[in-house]
């Protein structure tokens, strides 16, 4: 399966699209004013310890205090150190070197760990550890042992710290591994020197930019092209790759065409589709994707698809197609947390098994960790996808100012009846000469037509005249009652 990365630069943001076999599979957006914090290392200060939650709030200089759970506090197991209550480990005012595990999401602060890990192209350096771990994707025991032995020979004898060998290192030369070791040791040395004598909160290390992380983390042997639409940034990335990952330099291309890079490859259209609740399937079926604070639900519908011989076959074929589309939408929208999928009901157990297998197969290429359960008693598929950053919708959109994120607004009649109730309350509290209603044109039109009699009856009841004024700038739910 061929893949390519398209990298679009503007002064305000960087956007990256992963294309597999001509279709957009992933979208990454990083804005200059709100760059992510995952991987950053800070000297923080303990603000509050919460024994009941076995957690602490740490000030690392961000808008909201960050969150540290006792499970994310590093322990030296080789020295026999045992897990202790957090109030025995931390105290208010204490300085602490921490690393961000998860960006702030919604109202939640960043998630922290005291176990530092610095990622390179081939290796991840763990300065507090002493062991060498091998990626689980390297399945051959013989290959794992060989890699461990090679790395042990390359690590300087006097060096402390451990390493995790990434999957891409399976085919790396000794020179490439050695270069990664040197780079990571130098980086950790710089972080330590910045922390000496510093006062918290202070940033000690910022992770790479989005474009640099793509070269480091996302490029695979199947990547054929990395197309960049900015000459200046092409030169920067080329220099970065030449120094740290020479095998990537041959993949870099500068695009200078008249059409924008994302327009040329249809990425702009895919972004618009990824912000919609409805996802149309080629067969005529469709998905409805609803993202909430607690979880994401995906409903599968047959729509206009009647192509199969029987209803069972129609349902089966729609669900198979939906399984592939769902896996793509999860990556495209970067949906994380708990996900519930409501496939169309299938009586045939074999059909259920095949749909579940198709979903797992489609999710196998996801760079993010996923866990899929079977069908529940209610016929739903439960799954989780690791959430490390905001979803695409949360980056590009905000709650509707009219409905407040409900996805619905009150009808003009509902608002009109609220106005009438408020008028009664106002009349009981204030002895005004006249009441004036300011509301959206749709509400005022209702008072002039269908609810004119109700308004006249209320005017007689309160004994005061009531005038109307349409405010085109008001949203459909907004109104004011002015006392004259």
């Amino acid at each position: 399966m061929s893949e390519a990365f398209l990298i679009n630069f503007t002064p305000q943001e960087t956007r990256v699209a992963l294309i597999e076999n001509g279709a957009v599979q992933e979208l990454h957006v990083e804005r200059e004013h709100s760059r992510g914090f995952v991987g950053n290392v800070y000297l923080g200060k303990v603000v509050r310890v919460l024994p009941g939650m076995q957690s602490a709030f740490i000030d690392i200089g961000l808008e909201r205090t960050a969150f540290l759970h006792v499970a994310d506090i590093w322990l030296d197991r080789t020295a026999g150190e045992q897990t202790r209550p957090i109030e025995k480990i931390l105290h208010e005012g204490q300085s602490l070197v921490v690393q961000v595990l998860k960006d702030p999401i919604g109202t939640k602060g960043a998630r922290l760990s005291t176990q530092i890990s610095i990622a390179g192209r081939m290796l991840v350096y763990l300065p507090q550890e002493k062991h060498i771990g091998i990626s689980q994707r390297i399945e051959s025991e013989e290959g794992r042992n060989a890699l461990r032995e090679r790395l042990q020979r390359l690590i300087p004898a006097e060096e402390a710290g451990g390493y995790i060998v990434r999957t891409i290192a399976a085919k790396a030369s000794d020179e490439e591994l050695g270069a990664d070791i040197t780079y990571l040791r130098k980086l950790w040395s710089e972080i330590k020197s910045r922390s000496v004598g510093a006062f918290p909160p202070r940033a000690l290390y910022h992770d790479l930019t989005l474009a640099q992380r793509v070269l480091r983390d996302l490029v695979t042997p199947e990547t054929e092209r990395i197309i960049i639409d900015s000459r200046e940034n092409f030169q920067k990335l080329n220099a970065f790759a030449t120094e740290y990952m020479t095998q990537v330099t041959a993949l870099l291309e500068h695009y200078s065409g008249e059409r924008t890079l994302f327009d040329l490859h249809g990425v702009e259209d895919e972004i618009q589709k990824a912000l919609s609740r409805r996802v149309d399937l080629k067969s005529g079926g469709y998905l409805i994707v609803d993202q909430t604070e607690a979880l994401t639900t995906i409903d599968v519908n047959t729509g206009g698809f009647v192509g199969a011989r029987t209803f069972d076959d129609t349902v089966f074929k729609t669900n198979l197609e939906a399984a592939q589309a769902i896996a793509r939408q999860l990556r495209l929208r970067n949906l994380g947390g708990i996900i519930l999928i409501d496939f169309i009901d299938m009586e045939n157990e074999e059909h259920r098994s095949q749909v579940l297998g198709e979903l797992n197969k489609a999710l196998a290429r996801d760079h993010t960790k996923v866990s899929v359960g079977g069908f529940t008693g209610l016929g739903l598929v439960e799954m989780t996808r690791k959430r490390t950053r905001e979803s695409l919708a949360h980056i590009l959109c905000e709650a509707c100012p009219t409905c407040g994120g409900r996805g619905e607004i009150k009808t003009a009649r509902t608002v009109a009846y609220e106005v009438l109730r408020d008028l009664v309350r106002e009349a009981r509290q204030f002895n005004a000469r006249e009441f004036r209603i300011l509301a959206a044109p749709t509400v005022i039109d209702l008072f002039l037509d269908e609810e004119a009699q109700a308004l006249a009856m209320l005017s007689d009841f309160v004994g005061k005249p009531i005038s109307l004024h349409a405010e085109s700038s008001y949203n459909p739910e907004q109104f004011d009652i002015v006392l004259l």
Side-chain angles (χ1 to χ4, degrees), residues 446-482:
L446 201 63
F447 280 132
L448 292 172
D449 188 10
E450 297 177 43
E451 298 299 334
Q453 185 177 356
L455 190 64
M457 291 173 60
L458 181 62
S459 179
D460 290 341
F461 177 75
V462 300
K464 306 288 176 160
I466 300 172
S467 59
L468 302 172
H469 182 78
E471 281 285 354
S472 58
S473 61
Y474 278 24
N475 69 54
E477 294 189 355
Q478 185 178 356
F479 67 87
D480 288 304
I481 298 172
V482 180

Side-chain angles (χ1 to χ4, degrees), residues 211-224:
Q212 291 170 330
R213 293 198 304 274
V214 167
L215 303 192
R216 185 189 70 187
D217 300 333
L218 302 183
V219 173
T220 69
E222 295 173 351
T223 304
E224 295 181 348

Side-chain angles (χ1 to χ4, degrees), residues 120-124 164-169 172 176-177 180 247:
R121 170 71 173 164
M122 309 288 173
L123 308 168
V124 178
I164 295 175
V165 181
R166 308 179 81 170
T167 309
I168 197 170
E176 289 173 324
L177 291 173
D180 231 25
Q247 68 276 23

Side-chain angles (χ1 to χ4, degrees), residues 183-199:
Y183 163 70
L184 292 169
R185 290 176 63 199
K186 180 183 177 183
L187 205 54
W188 177 239
S189 177
E190 292 173 354
I191 292 172
K192 287 195 298 182
S193 66
R194 292 189 193 115
S195 67
V196 175
F199 294 96

